[in-house]
Amino acid sequence: MKKKRVVIALGHEALGTTLPEQKKATKLTAKAIADFIKDDYQVVLSHSNGPQVGMIHTAMAEFCRIYPEYTATPMSVCSAMSQGYIGYDLQNAIRTELLNRGIYKPVSTVLTQVTVDPYDEAFYHPTKIIGRVMSAEEAEAEEKKGNHVVQQGEGYRRIVAAPKPMNIVEIDAIRALADADQVVIAAGGGGIPVLEQDNNLKGASAVIEKDLAAGKMADLLDAEQFIILTSVARVCVDYGTPAEQPLDELTVEQAKQYMQEGQFEEGTMLPKIQAAVDYIGNSAVRTVLIANLESALDGVSGLRGTLIHK
């Protein structure tokens, strides 16, 4: 019998922020992932990288400031570093948990590049704040390099675009590993955004919303279900108001209507809902579950959240 293929997007809570937090968090997350595998799911994972890539970018920028003879590290390289750093802890935690349960299954991290459109409107209106706080002089120097900055409090920080994912360069490798029933970690942090220039791939100074990239991966892999594990138990409308209403189910048409009404906040729930709508499309079979990571630790059968469907 063919196994059910599922793509699982892990949020910040699954990884923590600091090195010790990440070690601890990935051990807990591995238990939830192992439950899916024990229940005969074919699992492909994606994950956030916000705190990690910010830490790497800040560290590399500070290094270059102290040692100006070294070349500055592009955003795309920082993203690649974060994929390796997170994948290392995550794949080892999952491998250990599986072996503890008597399950031998290879776990691999695929360094993943995601193509973006150079004419995407996002490049003209950057929104993602990254890196350390800079002085006015440092901010001016960044602008002279062609980078965007924004004032935040008494200082300045870099701001980059968040274009939509167009395609996943390594999708054939990811599919081959999944078809071989291996656990795959891919498109971490939204993937490394790249621009296609003939046969070359050039890193873009941007970040991709992780949920949109994970949804694109689920679509290209033709996964039966896309699961987004986050910090909330359910999707809510009128969130944070006395009229707040948690939703057990949501159709694609309802989701589109709520997005038009501005029910979901940018950078948090909105990209999750958009990813769900894009992934499901016109399919009557595909579903998306947005659920809390802690409930996943109680086992797959007890997993509850908001189910989105056609």
Side-chain angles (χ1 to χ4, degrees), residues 125-253:
H125 306 284
T127 58
K128 288 290 184 180
I129 296 173
I130 61 164
R132 65 183 178 88
V133 177
M134 299 178 288
S135 66
E137 292 77 16
E138 289 172 322
E140 185 178 353
E142 284 294 323
E143 288 185 321
K144 285 180 179 177
K145 297 177 190 175
N147 296 323
H148 296 275
V149 298
V150 64
Q151 188 166 5
Q152 193 174 58
E154 296 182 0
Y156 298 82
R157 294 180 70 187
R158 268 195 68 190
I159 186 168
V160 297
K164 292 179 180 178
M166 301 298 292
N167 200 10
I168 296 175
V169 178
E170 289 77 19
I171 193 63
D172 289 340
I174 297 166
R175 186 183 293 109
L177 290 169
D179 287 345
D181 200 27
Q182 298 190 25
V183 183
V184 191
I185 303 162
I192 305 162
V194 293
L195 303 169
E196 287 186 292
Q197 298 179 343
D198 296 324
N199 289 331
N200 298 316
L201 296 172
K202 178 178 172 58
S205 183
V207 294
I208 299 171
E209 286 284 0
K210 65 176 180 60
D211 296 309
L212 294 179
K216 172 62 74 173
M217 182 165 66
D219 176 35
L220 294 174
L221 292 173
D222 197 23
E224 284 89 341
Q225 189 171 40
F226 176 33
I227 298 175
I228 301 174
L229 296 180
T230 184
S231 59
V232 297
R234 287 175 177 80
V235 176
C236 295
V237 291
D238 297 319
Y239 183 74
T241 73
E244 180 178 313
Q245 179 186 357
L247 304 173
D248 291 325
E249 288 191 45
L250 189 61
T251 67
V252 168
E253 288 306 312

Side-chain angles (χ1 to χ4, degrees), residues 85-164:
Y85 155 48
I86 295 167
Y88 165 66
D89 277 345
L90 196 54
Q91 73 181 36
N92 282 341
I94 295 170
R95 176 184 179 275
T96 298
E97 182 64 29
L98 291 175
L99 289 175
N100 286 343
R101 298 187 187 199
I103 302 170
Y104 176 75
K105 193 179 290 289
V107 186
S108 304
T109 299
V110 177
L111 195 66
T112 312
Q113 301 173 95
V114 178
T115 59
V116 296
D117 183 351
Y119 301 107
D120 192 304
E121 280 293 316
F123 285 110
Y124 303 99
H125 306 284
T127 58
K128 288 290 184 180
I129 296 173
I130 61 164
R132 65 183 178 88
V133 177
M134 299 178 288
S135 66
E137 292 77 16
E138 289 172 322
E140 185 178 353
E142 284 294 323
E143 288 185 321
K144 285 180 179 177
K145 297 177 190 175
N147 296 323
H148 296 275
V149 298
V150 64
Q151 188 166 5
Q152 193 174 58
E154 296 182 0
Y156 298 82
R157 294 180 70 187
R158 268 195 68 190
I159 186 168
V160 297
K164 292 179 180 178

Side-chain angles (χ1 to χ4, degrees), residues 51-73:
Q52 290 85 356
V53 77
M55 175 184 68
I56 292 167
H57 182 270
T58 299
M60 300 309 291
E62 189 67 10
F63 179 80
C64 189
R65 186 184 68 81
I66 297 171
Y67 301 101
E69 66 270 22
Y70 284 90
T71 305
T73 307

Side-chain angles (χ1 to χ4, degrees), residues 128 209-211 228 230-232 239 263-274 290:
K128 288 290 184 180
E209 286 284 0
K210 65 176 180 60
D211 296 309
I228 301 174
T230 184
S231 59
V232 297
Y239 183 74
Q263 283 281 358
F264 308 121
E265 187 177 349
E266 285 191 34
T268 55
M269 188 55 70
L270 181 60
K272 293 173 175 55
I273 300 299
Q274 185 63 64
I290 299 178

Side-chain angles (χ1 to χ4, degrees), residues 9-19 21-26 28-29 46-54 85-86 90 189 210-211 228-232 267-268 272 291 293:
L10 302 172
H12 166 62
E13 291 71 21
L15 300 172
T17 300
T18 64
L19 282 163
E21 281 182 7
Q22 182 166 299
K23 282 282 188 184
K24 182 179 179 181
T26 51
L28 285 175
T29 300
S46 186
H47 58 78
S48 68
N49 74 338
Q52 290 85 356
V53 77
Y85 155 48
I86 295 167
L90 196 54
K210 65 176 180 60
D211 296 309
I228 301 174
L229 296 180
T230 184
S231 59
V232 297
T268 55
K272 293 173 175 55
L293 174 64

